[in-house]
Amino acid sequence: EAGVAQSPRYKIIEKRQSVAFWCNPISGHATLYWYQQILGQGPKLLIQFQNNGVVDDSQLPKDRFSAERLKGVDSTLKIQPAKLEDSAVYLCASSSRGTGINEKLFFGSGTQLSVL
Amino acid sequence: DAKTTQPPSMDCAEGRAANLPCNHSTISGNEYVYWYRQIHSQGPQYIIHGLKNNETNEMASLIITEDRKSSTLILPHATLRDTAVYYCIVRVSDYKLSFGAGTTVTVRA
C-alpha cells in the first residue's frame, strides 16, 4: 500500500515570498490533515478535511495560510506571504474515515520549509 | 482534551526492554490512550492504542493502570531503529490528534 506522498521535500524561500506544498493521501482515505511542526515541538494541527470539506481550521492563520482539497483527494497548503516564524516541517496525514475513535493516522515525511 | 505528562528523554540499552511512562490523570471514561513515534526526518508513526485493557501488537505492548491515570508503553527488545520521539496522546475528539513534546528515546549499542 502506497503511503502519504508529499512534495517538495525541502523548500527555502525569502520572507514575504509565497510557497505551496502538495499532499496526496492514501487511496480511499476520506480525511486529510495538515500539521505544522516547529523544531523541538510536537506537530500542531492546522486544518482537517473530510472529503473536500473543511472540518476544523481553527488553528490555521487565515491571514496568510490557505488550503484546499479539490475533488476530495489531494491537497495543497499555501503560505502567502511567508514570515520567518513559518520555518517548520509541514506534515500531511490521512485516515480512512476520521469519524471514529479507533482511527490511525498515516503521515507523510513532510516538507521542511526554511524562511530566510 | 486530557493532558499527558511524559519524561523529556530516556536512554535504553539495545536488546533490553524500554518502558516509557505517561501520566494522564485527568483522562475521562471515553478517552483512548494512543502512542505514536517519530523517527528523525520522518512523520509520526502509529504504534498502539487502548482504552482499558492491556494491548499488544507486533511493535509494542501498552499497559494501562486500573484507574487509567497512567500508562506504560513497552518496547520488548529495543533496537537502534527504535531511537525516536515517542508521543503519548489521550484522544477526546474524533477529529483531533494533539501532540505534546513527547519522550526522546535513545537506544544505545
Side-chain angles (χ1 to χ4, degrees):
Chain A
E1 177 181 75
V4 176
Q6 290 189 247
S7 67
R9 188 74 176 91
Y10 302 95
K11 190 72 177 179
I12 300 173
I13 61 172
E14 296 187 349
K15 60 183 179 183
R16 292 187 290 273
Q17 286 187 323
S18 301
V19 64
F21 314 124
W22 175 82
C23 171
N24 190 17
I26 292 173
S27 177
H29 278 193
T31 308
L32 185 147
Y33 310 78
W34 283 102
Y35 282 82
Q36 179 194 58
Q37 186 171 25
I38 293 171
L39 186 65
Q41 300 179 17
K44 182 184 85 170
L45 179 67
L46 292 175
I47 188 169
Q48 177 184 347
F49 292 93
Q50 180 76 7
N51 297 310
N52 60 350
V54 175
V55 172
D56 184 355
D57 63 356
S58 58
Q59 302 263 57
L60 189 73
K62 298 181 188 64
D63 58 334
R64 298 184 301 106
F65 286 65
S66 64
E68 60 183 9
R69 190 183 184 197
L70 299 177
K71 301 180 182 178
V73 181
D74 55 355
S75 176
T76 303
L77 177 69
K78 297 179 181 177
I79 308 175
Q80 180 179 9
K83 292 185 176 181
L84 297 177
E85 58 261 35
D86 298 332
S87 294
V89 175
Y90 290 85
L91 294 159
C92 180
S94 70
S95 63
S96 59
R97 299 186 312 276
T99 56
I101 199 74
N102 282 301
E103 289 259 2
K104 303 175 191 178
L105 266 63
F106 295 85
F107 284 81
S109 295
T111 296
Q112 185 171 325
L113 174 67
S114 297
V115 182
L116 307 178
Chain B
D1 289 357
K3 185 182 169 99
T4 61
T5 304
Q6 298 178 253
S9 64
M10 61 183 296
D11 286 0
C12 176
E14 187 178 23
R16 305 293 294 269
N19 297 309
L20 283 63
C22 180
N23 287 320
H24 32 79
S25 58
T26 60
I27 192 170
S28 57
N30 61 346
E31 291 176 314
Y32 284 71
V33 180
Y34 280 78
W35 284 85
Y36 281 73
R37 74 179 182 184
Q38 187 171 23
I39 295 169
H40 182 63
S41 297
Q42 297 182 21
Q45 174 192 25
Y46 167 85
I47 301 173
I48 198 167
H49 75 284
L51 181 63
K52 295 181 184 177
N53 301 320
N54 299 338
E55 302 287 346
T56 296
N57 62 20
E58 66 279 3
M59 291 183 69
S61 295
L62 174 61
I63 308 298
I64 302 175
T65 58
E66 192 169 343
D67 63 8
R68 303 211 321 125
K69 293 185 177 182
S70 65
S71 60
T72 301
L73 179 74
I74 301 172
L75 308 176
H77 304 286
T79 70
L80 299 179
R81 288 174 295 191
D82 292 322
T83 292
V85 179
Y86 287 76
Y87 299 100
C88 170
I89 302 160
V90 173
R91 191 171 182 187
V92 174
S93 167
D94 288 348
Y95 290 120
K96 292 184 180 180
L97 198 64
S98 299
F99 293 82
T103 297
T104 299
V105 173
T106 303
V107 180
R108 302 191 186 279

